[in-house]
Amino acid sequence: MFRAAVASAVAFLAVSVAVVEGAFCRVDQWALDHVMPWLTPVTHAQTLESIVVPFHEWTPDGEIPLALWTYPASVPVSALLLALGCALLWRRGLRAAAVAWAAAWIVGDAVEVLGKGLLDRPTLHMTWHGVRAALPGFDDSYPSGHTLRGLLVAAVVGTVWPRARLAAAIWAAATCVVLVVTSAHTPSDVLGGALLAAALALPAVQLGRAREAAPVRR
């Protein structure tokens, strides 16, 4: 799994460069034009409330159920779920794995913040009331933090509760699609978040498997 983690990290870097160079513009623009029914050129400033609350007064009614679906991937909820999973792993004696999962969440969010602050893609556009309008809100949306956190949450849930692996995987896969449909992210954002999640999660999974045969501590 170490090689797979390294390969995922290299792929993440390669996709990051490609996004900045505009290699994904055609794919992202197609998504904006065809699979984002609630997309508008109106942007809203990010605040503490917008991070904590799953939807707001400007959220379209049809989008609210989808916002609730992705809510476990938000910063506060994913932090609570990861903390719970890490606590259970620690109690079971898998302390290295618990630390690795916590580190994956922290490092992943740090990389997300750096990526959005340092990387800019060519501006995407949409047709709004017959006028082609620029969408600068997507200029600094790479990588998708919700994708990153969603996949980490699903992986931890599947690690701690093996019977929930299929449900967690279905939720995570659907979340990646929903993030595009709700205009939260472009396909390249989601791809970057998924590769980053893989690079960080695989070492934690390996640490957990290395101790699977060890006696469980109560």
Side-chain angles (χ1 to χ4, degrees), residues 12 33 35 49 56 68-69 92 116 120 124 129-130 137 152 204:
F12 170 73
D33 292 337
V35 297
E49 180 185 2
H56 312 276
L68 292 173
W69 178 271
R92 294 174 185 179
K116 291 180 176 178
D120 289 325
L124 300 170
H129 297 306
L152 290 180

Side-chain angles (χ1 to χ4, degrees), residues 9-77:
V10 172
F12 170 73
L13 294 175
V15 169
S16 300
V17 173
V19 167
V20 172
E21 294 298 320
F24 284 92
C25 279
R26 184 171 297 181
V27 173
D28 291 340
Q29 188 63 62
W30 183 91
L32 266 65
D33 292 337
H34 296 91
V35 297
M36 298 184 182
W38 298 288
L39 180 66
T40 74
V42 180
T43 59
H44 301 276
Q46 189 176 70
T47 63
L48 179 60
E49 180 185 2
S50 69
I51 294 175
V52 174
V53 180
F55 54 87
H56 312 276
E57 63 273 10
W58 63 79
T59 304
D61 292 341
E63 191 177 328
I64 290 177
L66 300 180
L68 292 173
W69 178 271
T70 62
Y71 192 45
S74 65
V75 172
V77 179

